Amino acid sequence: MARQIKENVFFLNATDWNRRLFDSLIPLPDGTSYNAYLVRGSEKTVLIDTVDPALEDILSGYLENVEKLDFIISLHSEQDHSGSIPLVLEKYPDAMVITSPKGKDLLINHLFIAEEKIITADNGEELSLGGKTLKFIHFPWVHWPETMLAYLKEDKILFTCDLFGSHLATTDMYVTDECQVYEAAKRYYAEIMMPFRNFIKKNLPLLDEYDIEIIAPSHGPMYDKPGFIMDAYRDWISDETKNTVVIPYISMHGSVEKMVDHLVAALEQRGVKASKFDLSVTDIGKLAISLVDAAAIVVGTPTVQADPHPVVTYAVRLANMLKPKLKYASVMASYGWGGKAIERIAEMIPNIKAELIEPVLVKGYPGEDDLKSVEKLADEISSRLG
Ligand code: FEO
């Protein structure tokens, strides 16, 4: 049975307790949920988004007693929200799908929805349901180019789909444990939203004109204190960094680990916080979270067949894709007889607009002079971080 948020506004959540990977890339240690919403006006009824097709039976259960549906609103075309639209259209063949102009093509191409079933909503356009009015706000790149939000004027609810979401399987309708949701929402931001930080920074002020009582995302619980998540986002998208250094690394025979431990200790002595991530065991999501605020990254790698270790290559390419607001970057590499591990890593991070600090390259196991070079790197970092 769908739970009521306000009179004639319902929360249709499908909780995916067991999902552990999203987009075949992103770890989901706490599962996730897909939230659809039903809004009944005196004249029209709309469904806002659907759920991942894997859980479409849950959505069907919610809709069992809904006799008539006039519109399905697709705020975002990714299949975890749009994938059950064909099923809903089968049950309600007269319903029309409303999406943004860019969403139209995506729905046709991904789900084969007939063009004549789709209506596009302009930015600022309103849909009157009878006593309830939805206003569409184009808000691109949260997380695809077509995304939009919908504001239910009479009830002051902002439906945001991926924006402000958290991958969190829970029975809570609203946030009850802010610490837990903060961590999950920051992980979500790091993995999904961070590449689009500048778009969010530009568009977030658009929401200042709305009186928002509830933020209703399509992953994780709703926010009945919207300031909690909006303040967190303002912090994450700001240009400010924290004085922390993130050190993702792999060590095959101890050389890189020795340098990493020496750097961590040297930074600690200089009052700079460092977080090391052994990429052979780390949760890549934790690394992503740390990149949201960090001022610097130092990558540690052995040389394998003249290149960085492939696990390091993966992490560096991922970091480059996430576009963190890092200000400084460097590399500590070891080698046996040659190679270009440092140059290769530098080539892999065009999206990271950081100053490159002189790297440390060690032949074999680091000796005293090498460790002095590591201390010099710590000096260079700490002097820049103030
Ligand atoms: Fe939750 Fe971009 O899909």
Side-chain angles (χ1 to χ4, degrees), residues 76 78 80-81 143 162 188 219:
H76 176 24
E78 192 166 9
D80 52 325
H81 310 292
H143 121 246
D162 275 355
Y188 188 91
H219 295 289

Side-chain angles (χ1 to χ4, degrees), residues 146-266:
E146 88 298 7
T147 46
M148 63 178 184
L149 318 182
Y151 179 66
L152 183 55
K153 292 167 84 167
E154 292 77 5
D155 295 305
K156 301 177 181 175
I157 302 173
L158 183 69
F159 300 96
T160 59
C161 202
D162 275 355
L163 181 64
F164 305 129
S166 58
H167 281 311
L168 190 61
T170 173
T171 55
D172 290 340
M173 267 179 81
Y174 296 101
V175 174
T176 55
D177 180 340
E178 287 196 348
C179 291
Q180 182 195 33
V181 176
Y182 183 90
E183 172 88 4
K186 191 171 184 180
R187 175 187 282 266
Y188 188 91
Y189 169 83
E191 293 165 335
I192 308 278
M193 296 292 164
M194 189 155 64
F196 313 111
R197 182 175 75 91
N198 286 326
F199 288 98
I200 301 172
K201 197 161 71 168
K202 180 177 155 214
N203 289 325
L204 203 57
L206 295 175
L207 303 182
D208 290 348
E209 67 179 87
Y210 296 92
D211 182 6
I212 301 167
E213 272 184 21
I214 294 169
I215 287 179
S218 290
H219 295 289
M222 293 183 288
Y223 302 90
D224 53 0
K225 299 183 187 74
F228 161 67
I229 192 65
M230 293 189 84
D231 287 348
Y233 262 67
R234 286 188 192 104
D235 180 30
W236 300 334
I237 62 175
S238 79
D239 292 333
E240 299 299 311
T241 54
K242 297 197 167 54
N243 281 354
T244 59
V245 181
V246 174
I247 310 173
Y249 73 99
I250 280 280
S251 194
M252 290 162 65
H253 299 291
S255 295
V256 173
E257 181 109 48
K258 176 78 176 171
M259 287 191 279
V260 167
D261 286 342
H262 203 71
L263 180 65
V264 169

